Amino acid sequence: MIAAVAVPATAQVPLLGPEVERAVNAPEGVAFTPTAADESDAMGRVASYTMALAKRDFASAYAMLRLSFQASNPRIEWEMNQRKRETLWADGVIRILRLSWYQDPAGQPPGLYAAFDFRGDRPDGTMDCGYVVVHRAAPGSGFTVVRTDTSEVPAEMIEDGVPKADVLQQLPCYLGKGISTAF
């Protein structure tokens, strides 16, 4: 129950509305369409993860990471890196821009992957952008976070809600339709 936990006043569960771009990728010759339950379960994991980070509940966020991700990112080191970026996730307001599905991608453990590209705009004029990738090894199992990357863009590098051209080229984020700031 999110309302019972102390969360920043602006924190909110990211929405996955019809305006979100969607893409499906499957091995050649394989027909795959994610179900409403797939989308709900994957989004639920992303929402839980981002809300834990917004609350600075690093223990809960770390527990949502896939074990192989944890093995390559020891908790103390991972948490220290999260704490260094104290404004990241701090207001808990992000907007999902694109959801990309991958069924059994080459070179990865088998299963269903969902990549959520997002943008977060803060009241001080700064923004975050990045992605969170979740994985489900088998139908009926839960999703775990397998990869995440976030960039922070200071207000002085943004004009009219859009990162300046030289900054935009350096961001590893997808902004697509999300370049506008209207929520």
Side-chain angles (χ1 to χ4, degrees), residues 102-143:
Y102 300 89
Q103 177 69 38
D104 297 323
Q108 297 298 317
L112 182 60
Y113 292 79
F116 293 84
D117 293 281
F118 68 86
R119 175 179 177 156
D121 293 287
R122 296 195 197 110
D124 67 1
T126 61
M127 70 168 267
D128 302 323
C129 63
Y131 59 86
V132 176
V133 180
V134 295
H135 170 243
R136 183 181 69 201
S141 65
F143 279 93

Side-chain angles (χ1 to χ4, degrees), residues 3-103:
V5 181
V7 178
T10 58
Q12 53 189 277
V13 175
L15 300 175
L16 195 56
E19 73 285 353
V20 172
E21 294 179 43
R22 288 171 169 80
V24 176
N25 304 279
E28 191 171 327
V30 174
F32 168 70
T33 303
T35 66
D38 293 334
E39 190 167 288
S40 177
D41 292 348
M43 187 62 223
R45 174 53 68 204
V46 170
S48 295
Y49 180 72
T50 59
M51 292 302 288
L53 291 172
K55 293 183 289 186
R56 313 314 269 170
D57 182 356
F58 298 116
S60 292
Y62 190 79
M64 295 179 215
L65 303 176
R66 181 167 63 186
L67 292 178
S68 61
F69 189 108
Q70 290 179 0
S72 62
N73 295 279
R75 178 164 176 210
I76 292 173
E77 196 174 305
W78 177 86
E79 186 172 330
M80 183 177 61
N81 287 329
Q82 296 297 315
R83 288 184 184 280
K84 278 191 245 178
R85 300 168 77 186
E86 61 188 46
T87 59
L88 184 61
W89 311 102
D91 64 5
V93 179
I94 65 171
R95 168 172 45 138
I96 303 299
L97 305 173
R98 178 173 62 182
L99 168 55
S100 302
W101 291 97
Y102 300 89
Q103 177 69 38

